[in-house]
Amino acid sequence: MKARVHVMLKDGVLDPQGEAVRHALGTLGFSGVTAVRQGKVIDLDLAATDRAAAEAEVKAMCEKLLANTVIEKYTVEIS
Amino acid sequence: MKAAVITFPGSNCDRDMAVAFERAGADVARVWHKDTALPAGVDVVAIPGGFSFGDYLRCGAIAARSPIGAAVIDHARRGGYVLGVCNGFQVLTEMGLLPGALMRNAGLKFVCKRVDLRVATTDSAYTSGYGLGEVISVPVAHHDGNYTVDAETLARLQGEDRVAFTYMDNPNGAMGDIAGVLSENRRVLGMMPHPERVVDAAHGGTDGARLFAGLIGGLALA
């Protein structure tokens, strides 16, 4: 199975990099961008064959390593 | 007094840290990240600055989960002293030994310069050698030193007198101008500035020496 993890800063945590990207877009003439948030996508190939078990395992990976839940939130997609 | 200095792939302040402890009179053991135990009788563990594991994933994230990481967490949970400087501070937050996180500098630039710090508490072995409110000069060199914590925890840190140092002129956007914080038992200190880089007159300053002397003096009395 494959898993895709999206890691984003929590709402309310200031994202200096997203803000810099928004500013650069404005410089390029894209004036309609009101906010940019930057995150990570992590793709995993899994040996697991059970969807629920895979999802539970990837969530554990997020809690232990892939996301820093002090400042980040995550979502898991299994396919 | 025995100190252990951990080296990860990408650590680059480990030797300076070891020398600072030796200068202050400690026996120093150098410990490799793949070791699973600290040497017997270690009083203080130091996690040095650098770019452990290339800052992959998040600064300090991989180092915090390395084999020696579990031993460092055990040491702290047993009441042992742990000093984390720069990348070491990032590692301590990733281990959960200190609250908050170090985010990208608000100005997005790597900041490498001497900064003035205010000693915000003298109630710790690390800061007992300074005067309360004293201003000291210590170098910073980091890209991710923007200390971020939720409002409730920030209020708790300030209320419990756990902010060790604040910036006089905030170089990175850190909340509350925080440059260093203490754990609840005041034995774990994480700080972005590098005290080990100002322990000899030839460094251009010696304001960091009292941190190591105070720590070792405090432990000798205990």
Side-chain angles (χ1 to χ4, degrees):
Chain A
M1 307 196 92
K2 290 183 186 298
R4 173 161 285 186
V5 175
H6 288 261
V7 180
M8 293 295 295
L9 288 172
K10 286 179 177 173
D11 299 337
V13 175
L14 185 70
D15 178 5
Q17 294 180 97
E19 190 51 27
V21 171
R22 188 192 64 78
H23 183 77
L25 289 171
T27 306
L28 291 170
F30 297 103
S31 57
V33 184
T34 55
V36 176
R37 306 284 284 172
Q38 183 179 308
K40 291 186 193 109
V41 176
I42 302 168
D43 284 341
L44 307 165
D45 287 338
L46 303 170
T49 52
D50 179 71
R51 191 184 180 88
E55 187 169 353
E57 191 177 26
V58 174
K59 281 186 175 167
M61 294 176 196
C62 290
E63 291 289 332
K64 285 194 165 173
L65 176 65
L66 301 180
N68 178 347
T69 55
V70 173
I71 48 168
E72 293 172 330
K73 58 183 181 177
Y74 60 86
T75 57
V76 176
E77 291 166 29
I78 304 286
S79 60
Chain B
M1 217 290 297
K2 197 164 176 180
V5 177
I6 314 284
T7 300
F8 300 102
S11 295
N12 61 14
C13 303
D14 44 338
R15 181 190 170 277
D16 288 2
M17 184 70 89
V19 170
F21 271 101
E22 280 164 3
R23 284 283 187 90
D27 291 328
V28 179
R30 304 290 296 272
V31 177
W32 183 233
H33 70 108
K34 284 187 176 170
D35 294 348
T36 53
L38 295 165
V42 163
D43 302 292
V44 184
V45 177
I47 306 183
F51 302 85
S52 59
F53 296 91
D55 281 349
Y56 290 174
L57 190 63
R58 295 178 305 275
C59 300
I62 311 282
R65 288 131 183 116
S66 62
I68 197 65
V72 174
I73 292 169
D74 276 353
H75 173 78
R77 297 251 156 93
R78 287 197 309 266
Y81 286 79
V82 184
L83 168 65
V85 169
C86 199
N87 187 224
F89 186 9
Q90 296 162 342
V91 172
L92 292 179
T93 61
E94 283 283 346
M95 283 176 167
L97 293 179
L98 291 172
L102 282 312
M103 293 186 56
R104 182 51 47 100
N105 292 344
L108 298 176
K109 290 193 170 63
F110 190 98
V111 178
C112 183
K113 62 178 181 183
R114 191 71 77 87
V115 299
D116 285 337
L117 302 178
R118 182 180 166 278
V119 178
T121 181
T122 55
D123 182 15
S124 79
Y126 303 96
T127 55
S128 60
Y130 299 101
L132 183 63
E134 183 180 349
V135 176
I136 60 173
S137 177
V138 181
V140 291
H142 60 251
H143 210 161
D144 298 82
N146 182 349
Y147 186 70
T148 303
V149 69
D150 63 72
E152 193 182 315
T153 310
L154 178 63
R156 188 156 55 84
L157 288 173
Q158 291 169 334
E160 293 174 355
D161 192 29
R162 285 166 56 187
V163 177
F165 301 102
T166 54
Y167 300 110
M168 298 297 286
D169 184 10
N170 192 332
N172 54 32
M175 284 184 181
D177 299 325
I178 289 174
V181 292
L182 292 159
S183 61
E184 208 166 350
N185 68 4
R186 316 187 80 78
R187 293 182 175 192
V188 179
L189 170 67
M191 61 189 292
M192 290 311 298
H194 287 273
E196 80 283 5
R197 292 190 187 176
V198 273
V199 296
D200 187 304
H203 291 157
T206 57
D207 281 351
R210 276 180 286 161
L211 184 148
F212 296 96
L215 178 58
I216 285 160
L219 287 180
L221 292 174

